[in-house]
């Protein structure tokens, strides 16, 4: 299906998504931070079938003001990239039906935006709660390397590679039915200690020391993805 995509946020994820669309001969337009300020500028007036909103939390702007700026009749579907941080410290298995309990300012802002979007775009809105992001030169192991001791070594990881997230977003735009909420996390959940130790060795980083604990941490799953996307490109999260 040939559609026009609008991408608000041509950053680390959005620019690669645009490249993916170009390779598939899909039409699109997009904005950078330098070309569109959510707080100061008018919303882009170009038409699109699918609007992808992919911006970091704008905590200087209320969630209601953020959503109110999006025009209602300039697209057929809107996809908002959120984060599993909205679940906070929920433990055990987490699905799309689990009630969020954000415990950070950014998580709270994202959850409030989700609620406002679902209210305003109840028939054509999609929320994508992405796991920890990796790909290209980006990987959480680089932030952990060099720390003296890393807590919660037995906690499960909840990550997703950029290439898989891009394809999930694309499928959500192509799918005839609207899934209002999707947890986008790779179904691979080793402990932090096992996973990051292996990645550090693979990437030639210094060994890390982990505290025990965290085994009660959350495992984010999806009841939607098995029906939408099951051919994972980075199923073991073992490459950049």
């Amino acid at each position: 299906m040939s559609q026009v995509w609008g991408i608000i946020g041509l950053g680390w994820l959005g620019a690669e998504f645009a490249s993916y669309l170009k390779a598939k001969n899909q039409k699109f337009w997009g904005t950078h931070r330098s070309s569109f300020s959510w707080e100061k500028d008018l919303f882009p007036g170009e038409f699109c079938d699918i609007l992808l909103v992919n911006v970091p939390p704008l905590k200087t702007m209320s969630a209601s003001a953020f959503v109110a700026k999006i025009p209602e009749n300039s697209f057929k579907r809107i996809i908002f990239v959120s984060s599993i941080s909205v679940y906070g410290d929920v433990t055990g298995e987490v699905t799309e039906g689990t009630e969020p309990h954000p415990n950070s300012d950014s998580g709270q802002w994202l959850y409030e935006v989700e609620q406002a979007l679902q209210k305003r775009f109840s028939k054509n809105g999609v929320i994508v709660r992405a796991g920890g992001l990796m790909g290209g030169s980006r990987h959480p192991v680089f932030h952990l390397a060099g720390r003296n001791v890393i807590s919660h070594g037995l906690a499960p990881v909840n990550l997703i590679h950029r290439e898989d997230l891009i394809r999930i977003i694309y499928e959500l735009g192509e799918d005839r039915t609207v899934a209002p909420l999707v947890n986008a996390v790779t179904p691979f959940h080793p402990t932090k200690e096992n996973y990051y130790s292996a990645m550090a060795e693979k990437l030639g980083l210094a060994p890390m020391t982990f505290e025990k604990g965290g085994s009660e941490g959350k495992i984010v799953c999806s009841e939607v993805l098995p029906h939408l996307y099951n051919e994972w490109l980075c199923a073991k999260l073992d490459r950049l």
Side-chain angles (χ1 to χ4, degrees):
M1 189 188 327
S2 180
Q3 301 192 94
V4 178
W5 286 76
I7 307 171
I8 305 296
L10 288 170
W12 178 84
L13 175 63
E16 284 297 309
F17 185 70
S19 296
Y20 181 75
L21 293 177
K22 186 176 181 179
K24 297 182 78 67
N25 294 315
Q26 295 281 313
K27 295 180 179 179
F28 66 89
W29 55 262
T31 68
H32 298 269
R33 288 186 183 182
S34 59
S35 64
F36 170 64
S37 168
W38 206 281
E39 297 96 330
K40 300 176 183 178
D41 298 328
L42 293 174
F43 200 86
E46 292 95 331
F47 166 82
C48 60
D49 295 291
I50 311 294
L51 179 67
L52 174 64
V53 179
N54 170 50
V55 296
L58 301 175
K59 290 178 284 186
T60 58
M61 191 175 193
S62 71
S64 58
F66 179 87
V67 174
K69 192 153 188 173
I70 304 172
E72 293 189 72
N73 300 314
S74 61
F75 50 82
K76 297 177 182 177
R77 185 172 299 179
I78 178 172
I79 300 174
F80 176 68
V81 180
S82 184
S83 165
I84 61 170
S85 66
V86 301
Y87 291 117
D89 290 331
V90 173
T91 60
E93 183 174 293
V94 172
T95 70
E96 288 87 355
T98 302
E99 183 178 355
H101 291 282
N103 60 352
S104 66
D105 290 343
S106 58
Q108 182 64 38
W109 188 87
L110 287 170
Y111 185 42
E112 290 175 4
V113 168
E114 288 184 6
Q115 292 175 304
L117 281 168
Q118 288 171 332
K119 182 177 181 181
R120 188 171 191 197
F121 303 106
S122 59
K123 294 182 180 180
N124 60 343
V126 180
I127 307 297
V128 180
R129 290 177 179 161
L133 300 172
M134 54 177 284
S137 61
R138 179 173 174 174
H139 196 289
V141 73
F142 294 122
H143 299 286
L144 296 175
R147 292 189 185 181
N148 291 330
V149 179
I150 301 167
S151 61
H152 302 106
L154 298 181
V157 301
N158 294 284
L159 304 173
I160 186 168
H161 197 283
R162 177 171 59 183
E163 292 181 13
D164 283 310
L165 181 56
I166 283 171
R167 285 156 179 79
I168 288 169
I169 291 170
Y170 183 77
E171 290 301 323
L172 287 168
E174 292 289 295
D175 195 29
R176 291 183 179 275
T177 59
V178 179
L181 176 62
V182 180
N183 287 338
V185 177
T186 305
F188 178 67
H189 305 278
T191 66
K192 284 173 63 176
E193 180 174 13
N194 289 343
Y195 175 68
Y196 289 120
S197 294
M199 284 302 296
E201 181 178 2
K202 184 172 185 175
L203 296 172
L205 302 175
M208 293 175 282
T209 302
F210 291 83
E211 291 180 348
K212 301 303 179 184
S215 59
E216 71 284 355
K218 62 180 175 285
I219 295 178
V220 181
C221 306
S222 176
E223 296 175 343
V224 176
L225 284 186
H227 309 288
L228 180 80
Y229 185 80
N230 51 31
E231 295 184 6
W232 294 84
L233 297 181
C234 194
K236 298 299 181 182
L237 303 169
D238 54 358
R239 62 179 175 83
L240 296 178

